[in-house]
Amino acid sequence: MENDTDVLRRVAYDVADSYRAGNLSHLTRPEWRLTWKNLTEEVKRRCPGFSKPEYDKALNDGFTDSR
């Protein structure tokens, strides 16, 4: 059974993988920090209830793991 943290990790991985595949290009902005903000907001939209640092870490890990 998945716990909430496992769901967050899976969602963040999916967002990172989708972004790399070009499926979330509409979230891209000229500055990476704005793109990052949009991507973390996408993770938050898909998996609410966590703190900003938790979203940041999960997305960072998602990018690392989805290489």
Side-chain angles (χ1 to χ4, degrees):
M1 176 175 231
E2 276 187 320
N3 65 36
D4 291 345
T5 304
D6 291 337
V7 173
L8 175 60
R9 283 190 201 119
R10 182 178 46 76
V11 167
Y13 180 96
D14 289 345
V15 168
D17 201 41
S18 294
Y19 179 76
R20 280 206 171 109
N23 299 325
L24 297 176
S25 60
H26 63 282
L27 299 178
T28 301
R29 297 296 178 262
E31 294 180 37
W32 176 248
R33 68 181 179 83
L34 298 176
T35 300
W36 185 265
K37 181 180 183 285
N38 287 345
L39 292 172
T40 57
E41 287 295 318
E42 180 66 15
V43 175
K44 182 178 181 179
R45 184 186 68 74
R46 295 182 188 190
C47 188
F50 293 90
S51 68
K52 182 177 179 342
E54 289 171 313
Y55 288 120
D56 285 336
K57 181 181 182 335
L59 187 59
N60 186 66
D61 292 348
F63 272 106
T64 301
D65 294 345
S66 70
R67 287 184 186 196

